[in-house]
Amino acid sequence: AEISMFRHVTRVYASFRDMGMPELATKPIPAIVNLRMPQGFQPLDPAKLSNPDLPLQPVNNAFFSPPNPIFSQVFGLQGAAMWFFQGTSSDFGYDGDVIYHEFGHAMVDRTIGLIGEWHVDAQGATAAPGGMNEGLADYFSSAITGDGDVGEYASKDLGGGTAIRTLDNSDTCLRNISGEVHSDSTFFSGALWAVRKSLPADQQKAYDTALMGGLLSTTVGDVGYEDVAALFIASLKKSSIPAAADALTAEFAKRGQAPVCKRIYEWDGKPLAGADKNLANT
């Protein structure tokens, strides 16, 4: 797992630097592998947590965290870090997609700095910052691999299926809005990916670099979908592939994200059901 992590972190760091990302604030960035947790950690059970004779438990997850007072103190770290658990049947440190995804969160933290809270606009509260953070992490992972499926290996511990998420989707706002950040990411990442796939291979790197330029053009992280869409469009117009700005504008409009992501259902007396199977379609 350590060798896998070193290989993939080296690759993704070089890729982002090539796109124009500045050095991370925490360098080198720690990447913890083979991580398990004491029994009783979820849910909190003080009796189990305080029993040193109980074996550690696998956890089906991985995450990036800015400086974290809990995990950082346990491991004697300072600054940001990435954490990869031993899962029930998979080692999350073996999945390159997951590693690129979590490093993508570090990139977002270093550039636009999307907030970890909900954004409030004229329609109310939205999980857009978190949704876009997840969507960008998925998008750039797929841009590096050239594959729209994210996390095929780790997916067996996260609900089964062939991948954790796929960018080859037709998801839209409002249909795929649920308030859960991973669910609220797919129409955003799907739009970015659809345009990238439509471009000739020799233009795709310029497209990725232009998106990075959009993320570097502001440090205001309390934003909605349409705000980041505007940053990307503006950056593409100034790039070597300005026609991609029109293609992305059209794709955002097709998916209901532009000119504004309308998140309010009009109830006609019939039951309402969302599209996210992981949230029981509610």
Short mmCIF file of all heavy atoms in Angstrom, two decimals, residues 120-165:
data_model
loop_
_atom_site.label_atom_id
_atom_site.label_comp_id
_atom_site.label_asym_id
_atom_site.label_seq_id
_atom_site.Cartn_x
_atom_site.Cartn_y
_atom_site.Cartn_z
N VAL A 120 -25.58 29.84 0.55
CA VAL A 120 -26.94 30.38 0.59
C VAL A 120 -27.11 31.39 -0.54
O VAL A 120 -26.29 32.31 -0.70
CB VAL A 120 -27.23 31.05 1.96
CG1 VAL A 120 -28.63 31.66 1.96
CG2 VAL A 120 -27.09 30.03 3.08
N ASP A 121 -28.18 31.21 -1.31
CA ASP A 121 -28.50 32.14 -2.38
C ASP A 121 -29.98 32.46 -2.35
O ASP A 121 -30.66 32.17 -1.35
CB ASP A 121 -28.06 31.60 -3.74
CG ASP A 121 -28.74 30.27 -4.10
OD1 ASP A 121 -29.77 29.94 -3.49
OD2 ASP A 121 -28.23 29.58 -5.00
N ALA A 122 -30.51 33.03 -3.41
CA ALA A 122 -31.91 33.45 -3.42
C ALA A 122 -32.89 32.29 -3.29
O ALA A 122 -34.03 32.47 -2.88
CB ALA A 122 -32.19 34.22 -4.71
N GLN A 123 -32.45 31.07 -3.63
CA GLN A 123 -33.32 29.90 -3.53
C GLN A 123 -33.24 29.21 -2.17
O GLN A 123 -34.01 28.29 -1.90
CB GLN A 123 -32.96 28.89 -4.62
CG GLN A 123 -33.12 29.40 -6.03
CD GLN A 123 -32.76 28.34 -7.04
OE1 GLN A 123 -33.50 27.37 -7.23
NE2 GLN A 123 -31.62 28.50 -7.70
N GLY A 124 -32.29 29.62 -1.34
CA GLY A 124 -32.12 28.99 -0.04
C GLY A 124 -30.73 28.40 0.09
O GLY A 124 -29.78 28.86 -0.54
N ALA A 125 -30.61 27.37 0.92
CA ALA A 125 -29.32 26.74 1.17
C ALA A 125 -29.06 25.62 0.17
O ALA A 125 -29.97 24.90 -0.24
CB ALA A 125 -29.28 26.18 2.59
N THR A 126 -27.80 25.47 -0.23
CA THR A 126 -27.41 24.44 -1.19
C THR A 126 -26.06 23.85 -0.80
O THR A 126 -25.18 24.55 -0.30
CB THR A 126 -27.33 25.02 -2.62
OG1 THR A 126 -26.72 24.04 -3.48
CG2 THR A 126 -26.49 26.28 -2.68
N ALA A 127 -25.92 22.56 -1.06
CA ALA A 127 -24.66 21.87 -0.82
C ALA A 127 -23.71 22.01 -1.99
O ALA A 127 -22.78 21.20 -2.14
CB ALA A 127 -24.92 20.39 -0.53
N ALA A 128 -23.90 23.02 -2.82
CA ALA A 128 -23.11 23.20 -4.03
C ALA A 128 -21.60 23.21 -3.79
O ALA A 128 -20.86 22.57 -4.55
CB ALA A 128 -23.54 24.48 -4.76
N PRO A 129 -21.07 23.92 -2.78
CA PRO A 129 -19.61 23.89 -2.60
C PRO A 129 -19.07 22.48 -2.41
O PRO A 129 -18.08 22.09 -3.04
CB PRO A 129 -19.39 24.76 -1.36
CG PRO A 129 -20.55 25.70 -1.36
CD PRO A 129 -21.71 24.88 -1.83
N GLY A 130 -19.73 21.71 -1.56
CA GLY A 130 -19.30 20.32 -1.36
C GLY A 130 -19.52 19.48 -2.59
O GLY A 130 -18.70 18.61 -2.93
N GLY A 131 -20.66 19.69 -3.28
CA GLY A 131 -20.93 18.95 -4.50
C GLY A 131 -19.88 19.21 -5.56
O GLY A 131 -19.41 18.30 -6.24
N MET A 132 -19.50 20.48 -5.73
CA MET A 132 -18.48 20.80 -6.72
C MET A 132 -17.11 20.28 -6.30
O MET A 132 -16.31 19.87 -7.15
CB MET A 132 -18.45 22.31 -6.95
CG MET A 132 -19.67 22.83 -7.69
SD MET A 132 -19.55 24.59 -8.12
CE MET A 132 -19.72 25.35 -6.50
N ASN A 133 -16.83 20.29 -5.00
CA ASN A 133 -15.56 19.74 -4.52
C ASN A 133 -15.46 18.26 -4.89
O ASN A 133 -14.43 17.81 -5.42
CB ASN A 133 -15.47 19.92 -3.00
CG ASN A 133 -14.04 19.93 -2.50
OD1 ASN A 133 -13.15 19.34 -3.09
ND2 ASN A 133 -13.83 20.60 -1.37
N GLU A 134 -16.53 17.51 -4.66
CA GLU A 134 -16.54 16.10 -5.04
C GLU A 134 -16.47 15.94 -6.55
O GLU A 134 -15.76 15.07 -7.07
CB GLU A 134 -17.78 15.40 -4.49
CG GLU A 134 -17.88 15.33 -2.98
CD GLU A 134 -16.75 14.54 -2.35
OE1 GLU A 134 -16.17 13.66 -3.04
OE2 GLU A 134 -16.44 14.79 -1.17
N GLY A 135 -17.21 16.78 -7.27
CA GLY A 135 -17.22 16.69 -8.72
C GLY A 135 -15.87 16.99 -9.34
O GLY A 135 -15.44 16.33 -10.29
N LEU A 136 -15.18 18.00 -8.82
CA LEU A 136 -13.86 18.34 -9.33
C LEU A 136 -12.85 17.24 -9.02
O LEU A 136 -11.99 16.92 -9.85
CB LEU A 136 -13.40 19.67 -8.73
CG LEU A 136 -14.14 20.91 -9.23
CD1 LEU A 136 -13.85 22.11 -8.35
CD2 LEU A 136 -13.78 21.21 -10.69
N ALA A 137 -12.94 16.65 -7.82
CA ALA A 137 -12.04 15.56 -7.48
C ALA A 137 -12.25 14.37 -8.41
O ALA A 137 -11.29 13.73 -8.85
CB ALA A 137 -12.26 15.15 -6.02
N ASP A 138 -13.51 14.07 -8.73
CA ASP A 138 -13.80 13.00 -9.69
C ASP A 138 -13.31 13.36 -11.08
O ASP A 138 -12.70 12.54 -11.78
CB ASP A 138 -15.31 12.73 -9.74
CG ASP A 138 -15.80 11.85 -8.61
OD1 ASP A 138 -14.97 11.29 -7.88
OD2 ASP A 138 -17.04 11.73 -8.47
N TYR A 139 -13.60 14.60 -11.51
CA TYR A 139 -13.26 15.00 -12.87
C TYR A 139 -11.76 14.89 -13.12
O TYR A 139 -11.31 14.30 -14.11
CB TYR A 139 -13.72 16.42 -13.18
CG TYR A 139 -13.15 16.89 -14.50
CD1 TYR A 139 -13.72 16.49 -15.69
CD2 TYR A 139 -11.97 17.64 -14.54
CE1 TYR A 139 -13.15 16.84 -16.90
CE2 TYR A 139 -11.39 17.99 -15.74
CZ TYR A 139 -11.99 17.59 -16.92
OH TYR A 139 -11.40 17.91 -18.12
N PHE A 140 -10.96 15.48 -12.24
CA PHE A 140 -9.53 15.48 -12.49
C PHE A 140 -8.93 14.08 -12.33
O PHE A 140 -7.95 13.75 -13.01
CB PHE A 140 -8.83 16.50 -11.59
CG PHE A 140 -8.98 17.91 -12.08
CD1 PHE A 140 -9.86 18.78 -11.47
CD2 PHE A 140 -8.26 18.37 -13.17
CE1 PHE A 140 -10.01 20.10 -11.93
CE2 PHE A 140 -8.39 19.67 -13.64
CZ PHE A 140 -9.27 20.54 -13.02
N SER A 141 -9.51 13.25 -11.47
CA SER A 141 -9.08 11.86 -11.41
C SER A 141 -9.29 11.19 -12.76
O SER A 141 -8.40 10.51 -13.28
CB SER A 141 -9.85 11.11 -10.31
OG SER A 141 -9.56 9.73 -10.34
N SER A 142 -10.45 11.40 -13.34
CA SER A 142 -10.75 10.79 -14.63
C SER A 142 -9.93 11.41 -15.75
O SER A 142 -9.55 10.72 -16.71
CB SER A 142 -12.25 10.92 -14.94
OG SER A 142 -13.01 10.06 -14.11
N ALA A 143 -9.64 12.71 -15.66
CA ALA A 143 -8.80 13.34 -16.67
C ALA A 143 -7.40 12.73 -16.68
O ALA A 143 -6.79 12.57 -17.75
CB ALA A 143 -8.72 14.84 -16.42
N ILE A 144 -6.90 12.37 -15.52
CA ILE A 144 -5.57 11.76 -15.43
C ILE A 144 -5.58 10.34 -15.98
O ILE A 144 -4.66 9.92 -16.69
CB ILE A 144 -5.07 11.80 -13.98
CG1 ILE A 144 -4.78 13.25 -13.56
CG2 ILE A 144 -3.81 10.94 -13.79
CD1 ILE A 144 -4.51 13.42 -12.08
N THR A 145 -6.64 9.59 -15.68
CA THR A 145 -6.69 8.19 -16.11
C THR A 145 -7.26 8.02 -17.51
O THR A 145 -7.05 6.98 -18.15
CB THR A 145 -7.54 7.36 -15.14
OG1 THR A 145 -8.91 7.83 -15.17
CG2 THR A 145 -7.00 7.46 -13.71
N GLY A 146 -8.03 9.01 -17.98
CA GLY A 146 -8.70 8.88 -19.27
C GLY A 146 -9.91 7.98 -19.22
O GLY A 146 -10.39 7.50 -20.26
N ASP A 147 -10.46 7.76 -18.04
CA ASP A 147 -11.55 6.82 -17.82
C ASP A 147 -12.63 7.49 -16.97
O ASP A 147 -12.33 7.98 -15.88
CB ASP A 147 -11.01 5.56 -17.13
CG ASP A 147 -12.09 4.57 -16.74
OD1 ASP A 147 -13.22 4.68 -17.24
OD2 ASP A 147 -11.78 3.68 -15.91
N GLY A 148 -13.86 7.51 -17.45
CA GLY A 148 -14.93 8.18 -16.73
C GLY A 148 -15.44 7.45 -15.51
O GLY A 148 -16.18 8.02 -14.71
N ASP A 149 -15.08 6.19 -15.32
CA ASP A 149 -15.47 5.44 -14.13
C ASP A 149 -14.46 5.70 -13.02
O ASP A 149 -13.24 5.60 -13.23
CB ASP A 149 -15.55 3.95 -14.42
CG ASP A 149 -16.72 3.58 -15.30
OD1 ASP A 149 -17.68 4.37 -15.36
OD2 ASP A 149 -16.68 2.51 -15.93
N VAL A 150 -14.98 6.00 -11.83
CA VAL A 150 -14.11 6.35 -10.70
C VAL A 150 -14.19 5.27 -9.64
O VAL A 150 -15.27 4.95 -9.14
CB VAL A 150 -14.54 7.70 -10.08
CG1 VAL A 150 -13.65 8.05 -8.89
CG2 VAL A 150 -14.50 8.81 -11.12
N GLY A 151 -13.05 4.68 -9.30
CA GLY A 151 -12.97 3.77 -8.16
C GLY A 151 -13.56 2.39 -8.41
O GLY A 151 -14.30 1.88 -7.56
N GLU A 152 -13.20 1.77 -9.53
CA GLU A 152 -13.74 0.45 -9.81
C GLU A 152 -13.32 -0.58 -8.75
O GLU A 152 -14.13 -1.42 -8.32
CB GLU A 152 -13.27 -0.04 -11.19
CG GLU A 152 -13.85 0.73 -12.36
CD GLU A 152 -12.94 1.85 -12.83
OE1 GLU A 152 -12.31 2.52 -11.97
OE2 GLU A 152 -12.85 2.06 -14.06
N TYR A 153 -12.06 -0.52 -8.32
CA TYR A 153 -11.59 -1.49 -7.32
C TYR A 153 -12.26 -1.28 -5.97
O TYR A 153 -12.77 -2.22 -5.36
CB TYR A 153 -10.06 -1.38 -7.19
CG TYR A 153 -9.50 -2.12 -6.00
CD1 TYR A 153 -9.48 -3.51 -5.97
CD2 TYR A 153 -8.97 -1.42 -4.92
CE1 TYR A 153 -8.95 -4.19 -4.87
CE2 TYR A 153 -8.44 -2.08 -3.83
CZ TYR A 153 -8.43 -3.47 -3.80
OH TYR A 153 -7.92 -4.14 -2.72
N ALA A 154 -12.28 -0.05 -5.48
CA ALA A 154 -12.83 0.21 -4.15
C ALA A 154 -14.35 0.10 -4.11
O ALA A 154 -14.93 0.02 -3.03
CB ALA A 154 -12.40 1.60 -3.68
N SER A 155 -15.00 0.10 -5.26
CA SER A 155 -16.47 0.11 -5.28
C SER A 155 -17.08 -1.12 -4.63
O SER A 155 -18.21 -1.07 -4.16
CB SER A 155 -16.98 0.24 -6.72
OG SER A 155 -16.66 -0.91 -7.48
N LYS A 156 -16.35 -2.22 -4.57
CA LYS A 156 -16.93 -3.43 -3.97
C LYS A 156 -17.19 -3.25 -2.48
O LYS A 156 -17.99 -4.00 -1.90
CB LYS A 156 -16.02 -4.63 -4.22
CG LYS A 156 -14.60 -4.50 -3.68
CD LYS A 156 -13.75 -5.67 -4.14
CE LYS A 156 -12.29 -5.53 -3.70
NZ LYS A 156 -11.47 -6.66 -4.20
N ASP A 157 -16.53 -2.29 -1.87
CA ASP A 157 -16.78 -2.00 -0.46
C ASP A 157 -17.69 -0.78 -0.27
O ASP A 157 -17.94 -0.35 0.86
CB ASP A 157 -15.47 -1.74 0.28
CG ASP A 157 -14.79 -3.04 0.69
OD1 ASP A 157 -15.47 -4.07 0.74
OD2 ASP A 157 -13.57 -3.01 0.94
N LEU A 158 -18.16 -0.21 -1.36
CA LEU A 158 -19.01 0.98 -1.27
C LEU A 158 -20.29 0.77 -2.08
O LEU A 158 -20.61 1.51 -3.00
CB LEU A 158 -18.26 2.22 -1.78
CG LEU A 158 -17.08 2.68 -0.91
CD1 LEU A 158 -16.30 3.77 -1.60
CD2 LEU A 158 -17.59 3.17 0.45
N GLY A 159 -21.01 -0.27 -1.73
CA GLY A 159 -22.31 -0.51 -2.34
C GLY A 159 -22.29 -1.40 -3.56
O GLY A 159 -23.33 -1.63 -4.18
N GLY A 160 -21.13 -1.91 -3.92
CA GLY A 160 -21.06 -2.78 -5.08
C GLY A 160 -21.13 -2.00 -6.38
O GLY A 160 -20.91 -0.80 -6.41
N GLY A 161 -21.45 -2.65 -7.46
CA GLY A 161 -21.47 -2.00 -8.75
C GLY A 161 -20.09 -2.01 -9.38
O GLY A 161 -19.11 -2.50 -8.80
N THR A 162 -20.01 -1.44 -10.56
CA THR A 162 -18.75 -1.48 -11.30
C THR A 162 -17.84 -0.29 -10.97
O THR A 162 -16.66 -0.31 -11.30
CB THR A 162 -19.03 -1.48 -12.80
OG1 THR A 162 -19.80 -0.32 -13.16
CG2 THR A 162 -19.81 -2.74 -13.20
N ALA A 163 -18.36 0.75 -10.34
CA ALA A 163 -17.56 1.93 -9.98
C ALA A 163 -18.27 2.67 -8.86
O ALA A 163 -19.47 2.49 -8.63
CB ALA A 163 -17.37 2.84 -11.18
N ILE A 164 -17.51 3.50 -8.15
CA ILE A 164 -18.13 4.32 -7.10
C ILE A 164 -19.07 5.33 -7.74
O ILE A 164 -20.21 5.50 -7.32
CB ILE A 164 -17.05 5.03 -6.26
CG1 ILE A 164 -16.15 4.01 -5.56
CG2 ILE A 164 -17.70 5.95 -5.23
CD1 ILE A 164 -14.96 4.63 -4.85
N ARG A 165 -18.57 6.01 -8.77
CA ARG A 165 -19.38 6.94 -9.58
C ARG A 165 -18.86 6.89 -11.01
O ARG A 165 -17.72 6.50 -11.24
CB ARG A 165 -19.28 8.38 -9.05
CG ARG A 165 -20.12 8.65 -7.81
CD ARG A 165 -19.91 10.08 -7.31
NE ARG A 165 -18.53 10.33 -6.90
CZ ARG A 165 -18.02 9.95 -5.75
NH1 ARG A 165 -18.73 9.27 -4.88
NH2 ARG A 165 -16.74 10.23 -5.45
#
